[in-house]
Amino acid sequence: MRRDGPSSAADAEVVQSPPPAFQIIVLGAGGGPNENNVTGLLVRSTARPWTRDSVLAVDAGVHLASIIQIFEDHLPKATRKPGMSTTASALPTNGEAVGFPADAAKPKLFLTTGPFANLELPFESAKANATYVFRNLISTYLITHPHLDHIAGFAINTAALQQTVRRKRVAALPSTIEAIKEHIFNGIIWPNLSDEGEGAVGFVSYDRLVDGGNVALGDGEGRGYIEVCDGLAVKGWSVSHGECIKRHNHQGSYSSESTDGSFPYYSRRSSRKEPQATMEMSRTQNYPQSSEKAAYDSAAYFLRDEHTGKEVLIFGDVEPDSVSLSPRTARVWQDAAAKISAALLTGILIECSYDNSQSDSMLFGHLTPRHLITELSVLANMVCNVSPSTTPGSPRKRKRSGNGFRTPETHPSRRSASKHRPRRRTRSSVSPSTQMPLGMQRKDSREMALTPEEPDLRRIEEENGTASPPGLALRRSPMKQRRSSPPSPSSPSALKPLHGLQIIIIHVKDALQDGPDVGETILAQLRQHEQEAQLGCTFTMSKSGDSYWL
């Protein structure tokens, strides 16, 4: 992974590594409460130049203001050189440009540093050039969920879409689209600038994605994906982000109706080791009472580069399955494990809002380092299930059934045996309404074999304590643990299951206090946990204004 840009010192990385497929620009790396650093990303395929519709926005809690800041930081270092020739008619007075200002004798202005390096600039000021990027290069806003720290910037920035020639596209799962339509672009909170509903202005159109991907679209590795900008396609999964009591269309499973019409209260279910005092206190406040709660919907998106077939996984806010009312993240890991096995997934952007001092009862639908490592341990186990080998330097391939997941019936070495062996009953990691596909069976030929069960996440937390790392999540069978000597670090079996996978941390909540930076604390805790769990992944703390090349 390279950081910042192609002209940075990161170019000194090993030249044998494949060229990056994605550039990810971090507009906002935090999760509040500071409003100028909330979730906002830009993603583009490196196979495409800086052209119209070549950039995808993923969430936009902060957006245009951050783009302006990036231009203010790097515009003084811009240089002039010959650029493309255009005519004056190519640039309408409203700035909705296809080309650039016409002056063949005047060299064009190019950025040489920062996330927008090598972008030809049509204007002289930071604000004008940032607005050009907003109006022309960004076509689609991929929204994970409708909380304000993920959509506020976009909603306010829509006022800059007057006199443009095309609508912006908001792509999201249906529950998020309905929430934005009902509660944001409704003529009360904000004018209805969408193209649906009463008084629609038409600046924004809605694209409702299918949970798990639309299997009628695409083929092969790209089946279920839909194009969201030039060179990029997406497939989304719903995940859980805390609990909500009020009944509405933005919930996951186990929902029930609140009859008093009061405002929804978001809380977290305490784990079995957590004291109940905090939860009991919340019940005494003026919030609606309900016999049954519902999970709040967020999303995780796989983005696929159509040129290379490589993918990145970007999470919205998400809670750990181990304490969730509706655990659904395991479905995402199941999908990701197959992509890691096929050497397609290059990185994961995922939240880690708090450090390990945050108790389970106060997670509010978020992750801490101990929970993130537990989730990644589940992913690591699934990767071991599907990997026939972990030989360095060659893609790890697997055979698939028609739905992309290998089953005992489709595994050549197990097809006949499965007819005579009783099916093992295992605890499901997801709710009945969101059951994931049958898990892939692990190879018996692995030198350090794993037990057939998926890890019991609650048992792991009870054994280790909520404030301690989960330890080695890849559980060895007793027979294999009694090896007289460990495998050589150079042998294939020594390669860790998530070897080379880049994990970029987003959505860190600022404590707004003196003392160590909370992001540094979280990063140190994650790295310590990874050393104990031996997963093989690398953690990076995102920073606003930086870009990452995956």
Side-chain angles (χ1 to χ4, degrees):
M1 180 185 74
R2 299 209 310 262
R3 186 171 181 171
D4 287 329
S7 61
S8 70
D11 286 334
E13 289 192 356
V14 180
V15 295
Q16 289 84 357
S17 61
F22 301 90
Q23 181 189 8
I24 301 176
I25 301 173
V26 179
L27 301 181
N34 190 344
E35 74 276 12
N36 72 351
N37 187 26
V38 288
T39 306
L41 305 170
L42 299 179
V43 186
R44 74 181 187 97
S45 168
T46 59
R48 302 298 197 271
W50 294 104
T51 55
R52 180 187 289 277
D53 301 341
S54 64
V55 180
L56 170 71
V58 181
D59 285 338
V62 63
H63 191 61
L64 183 56
S66 184
I67 300 174
I68 292 173
Q69 184 61 57
I70 291 173
F71 275 99
E72 289 178 344
D73 292 341
H74 296 279
L75 193 57
K77 303 173 186 177
T79 61
R80 295 191 182 276
K81 55 184 178 179
M84 61 180 289
S85 177
T86 60
T87 62
S89 60
L91 185 67
T93 57
N94 61 12
E96 181 70 21
V98 176
F100 303 97
D103 187 350
K106 183 178 181 181
K108 308 305 178 185
L109 189 63
F110 287 82
L111 284 180
T112 58
T113 61
F116 295 102
N118 299 322
L119 172 64
E120 184 178 348
L121 304 179
F123 302 103
E124 298 293 326
S125 70
K127 290 182 179 180
N129 283 309
T131 303
Y132 166 79
V133 170
F134 168 66
R135 287 177 170 173
N136 293 272
L137 303 191
I138 303 170
S139 61
T140 302
Y141 290 78
L142 186 63
I143 305 299
T144 60
H145 65 291
H147 281 166
L148 285 177
D149 58 328
H150 295 256
I151 64 170
F154 170 71
I156 295 172
N157 296 160
T158 53
L161 295 176
Q162 296 184 51
Q163 301 179 352
T164 55
V165 298
R166 291 188 308 162
R167 297 184 177 101
K168 293 297 182 186
R169 175 187 179 194
V170 173
L173 296 177
S175 61
T176 296
I177 295 293
E178 294 309 309
I180 294 173
K181 179 179 176 180
E182 180 179 351
H183 301 297
I184 302 298
F185 295 129
N186 60 2
I188 300 173
I189 300 300
W190 200 249
N192 183 10
L193 302 182
S194 77
D195 60 354
E196 296 183 14
E198 184 178 357
V201 175
F203 289 176
V204 174
S205 64
Y206 297 125
D207 191 349
R208 294 165 175 84
L209 304 179
V210 176
D211 193 358
N214 187 341
V215 295
L217 299 175
D219 59 3
E221 295 287 353
R223 187 178 184 187
Y225 289 72
I226 183 172
E227 186 179 272
V228 283
C229 77
D230 186 19
L232 296 180
V234 67
K235 179 175 72 173
W237 289 97
S238 61
V239 295
S240 295
H241 174 32
E243 296 172 4
C244 180
I245 291 178
K246 182 179 178 181
R247 170 68 171 172
H248 51 58
N249 294 327
H250 328 313
Q251 299 169 319
S253 58
Y254 303 124
S255 60
S256 63
E257 186 159 338
S258 175
T259 58
D260 60 3
S262 51
F263 189 83
Y265 169 59
Y266 303 95
S267 64
R268 287 289 309 111
R269 184 175 69 172
S270 173
S271 69
R272 287 184 286 181
K273 291 199 69 174
E274 284 291 330
Q276 296 297 314
T278 304
M279 301 302 294
E280 292 296 331
M281 179 180 66
S282 70
R283 296 189 187 104
T284 64
Q285 299 178 13
N286 296 324
Y287 299 119
Q289 301 298 311
S290 173
S291 59
E292 207 170 357
K293 301 183 181 71
Y296 189 90
D297 282 343
S298 182
Y301 292 120
F302 287 96
L303 294 179
R304 185 173 189 271
D305 174 43
E306 295 181 331
H307 179 70
T308 62
K310 298 294 186 179
E311 300 192 26
V312 295
L313 172 59
I314 302 179
F315 277 85
D317 294 356
V318 61
E319 65 185 347
D321 271 1
S322 58
V323 296
S324 176
L325 181 68
S326 177
R328 292 179 279 178
T329 308
R331 303 182 308 163
V332 183
W333 296 142
Q334 192 85 23
D335 202 353
K339 300 176 190 301
I340 293 173
S341 176
L344 295 176
L345 189 67
T346 61
I348 299 175
L349 281 80
I350 190 168
E351 70 131 279
C352 193
S353 296
Y354 305 108
D355 64 26
N356 279 336
S357 66
Q358 196 81 358
S359 67
D360 283 1
S361 62
M362 299 297 288
L363 288 178
F364 305 108
H366 296 291
L367 295 174
T368 63
R370 67 180 183 274
H371 289 301
L372 178 52
I373 288 294
T374 301
E375 290 292 333
L376 291 174
S377 297
V378 173
L379 172 61
N381 272 301
M382 292 180 178
V383 171
C384 291
N385 288 348
V386 301
S387 297
S389 67
T390 51
T391 303
S394 62
R396 294 167 286 184
K397 297 182 179 178
R398 56 180 172 74
K399 292 186 177 181
R400 295 188 185 87
S401 59
N403 64 355
F405 295 98
R406 192 174 61 193
T407 66
E409 289 72 19
T410 59
H411 193 297
S413 65
R414 297 175 181 264
R415 188 180 296 115
S416 59
S418 63
K419 298 179 181 178
H420 307 288
R421 189 166 52 209
R423 177 174 295 181
R424 190 183 192 99
R425 296 182 65 86
T426 58
R427 175 182 174 180
S428 172
S429 59
V430 296
S431 64
S433 62
T434 57
Q435 184 69 39
M436 65 180 173
L438 182 63
M440 286 72 80
Q441 301 299 311
R442 57 182 52 83
K443 283 277 188 178
D444 291 334
S445 61
R446 283 186 58 83
E447 188 173 15
M448 294 293 287
L450 303 174
T451 56
E453 310 85 27
E454 294 298 337
D456 186 334
L457 301 180
R458 289 193 183 282
R459 185 185 64 77
I460 291 174
E461 289 203 343
E462 288 176 358
E463 290 177 355
N464 293 280
T466 58
S468 63
L472 188 62
L474 299 177
R475 297 180 292 162
R476 309 298 183 186
S477 64
M479 180 182 70
K480 298 299 181 181
Q481 283 179 329
R482 290 195 292 269
R483 292 180 56 87
S484 59
S485 61
S488 168
S490 61
S491 66
S493 60
L495 192 61
K496 300 172 185 177
L498 302 185
H499 174 76
L501 186 64
Q502 303 290 335
I503 311 294
I504 300 176
I505 302 303
I506 56 175
H507 202 273
V508 171
K509 291 185 175 292
D510 194 339
L512 302 179
Q513 296 176 350
D514 291 337
D517 178 75
V518 64
E520 294 178 359
T521 300
I522 289 172
L523 188 59
Q525 291 174 349
L526 284 170
R527 288 172 174 170
Q528 176 63 33
H529 291 345
E530 194 283 326
Q531 287 182 358
E532 297 175 359
Q534 291 292 293
L535 301 179
C537 54
T538 301
F539 292 99
T540 300
M541 185 63 61
S542 64
K543 181 180 178 182
S544 298
D546 280 358
S547 67
Y548 302 85
W549 301 72
L550 296 171

